[in-house]
């Protein structure tokens, strides 16, 4: 039975924490959503709504809150789950991608055998802000020759224009600020 949850119901379970983890950041806390069985299941339904089970080979999730949504989406779509992690965390051989932060840069990594060329990929993270993280994750997927069918986010901070860094595949989000 599909769980019918509206985007407004999802938005109402996202808590805003001002000035966390530093002054000026409006942190979007998803833990109330995760704790609500109906809303959490509904969020997974909406994140995966464009795809039938079997039509995606792998759901790629981004460290760390993206893992929660990507893993649940993967079981629903009967797809594998592939983690993109911060550099230095994955145990096997990796490919890496650097991206710019407001001050400095960061690097994400993926196992070299994570995706087969031509694999059909759904990319998921909890939140799209500047797009640096998701853009780097997408670059890793593409380096392995896999195809991103869609990048989907629970939350998008539209004023940061992160979408501009994500080209060549559809980008969708459930709740926008
Ligand atoms: P960005 O690379 O700027 O698009 O940042 C996206 C990543 O940072 C995601 O993995 C988010 O979990 C995290 N993030 C950025 N801004 C926020 C925010 N305001 N609230 C919660 N998480 C955030």
């Amino acid at each position: 039975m599909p769980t019918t949850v509206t985007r407004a119901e999802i938005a109402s379970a996202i808590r805003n924490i001002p000035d966390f983890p530093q002054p000026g950041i409006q942190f979007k806390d998803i833990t109330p959503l995760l704790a609500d069985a109906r809303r959490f299941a509904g969020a997974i339904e909406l994140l995966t709504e464009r795809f039938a089970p079997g039509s995606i080979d792998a759901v790629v999730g981004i460290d760390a809150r993206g893992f929660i949504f990507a893993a649940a989406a993967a079981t629903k779509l009967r797809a594998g789950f592939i983690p993109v992690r911060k550099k230095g965390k994955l145990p096997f051989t990796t490919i890496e991608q650097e991206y710019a932060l407001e001050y400095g840069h960061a690097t994400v990594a993926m196992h070299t055998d994570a995706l087969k060329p031509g694999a059909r990929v759904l990319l998921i993270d909890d939140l799209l802000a500047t797009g640096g993280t998701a853009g780097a994750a997408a670059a890793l997927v593409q380096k392995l020759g896999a195809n991103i069918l869609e990048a989907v986010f629970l939350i998008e901070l539209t004023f940061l224009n992160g979408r501009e860094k994500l080209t060549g595949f559809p980008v969708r989000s459930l709740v926008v600020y």
Side-chain angles (χ1 to χ4, degrees), residues 53-105:
S55 67
I56 293 286
D57 298 306
V59 180
V60 171
I62 303 179
D63 201 344
R65 288 178 294 277
F67 292 169
I68 301 164
F69 297 97
T75 67
K76 178 160 181 293
L77 293 172
R78 299 285 179 264
F81 166 75
I82 304 297
V84 167
R85 297 211 64 185
K86 312 243 165 67
K87 180 184 166 144
K89 300 286 187 185
L90 287 169
F92 185 61
T93 53
T94 58
I95 52 169
E96 296 179 352
Q97 180 70 43
E98 196 178 272
Y99 62 99
L101 298 175
E102 194 176 356
Y103 302 103
H105 48 257

Side-chain angles (χ1 to χ4, degrees), residues 20-61:
F20 181 89
Q22 57 197 58
I25 304 287
Q26 303 288 325
F27 190 87
K28 304 303 178 199
D29 177 16
I30 55 160
T31 60
L33 171 74
L34 299 176
D36 183 319
R38 194 178 143 269
R39 283 182 173 82
F40 182 27
I44 300 303
E45 293 284 344
L46 289 171
L47 288 168
T48 58
E49 69 182 346
R50 297 267 167 93
F51 303 100
S55 67
I56 293 286
D57 298 306
V59 180
V60 171

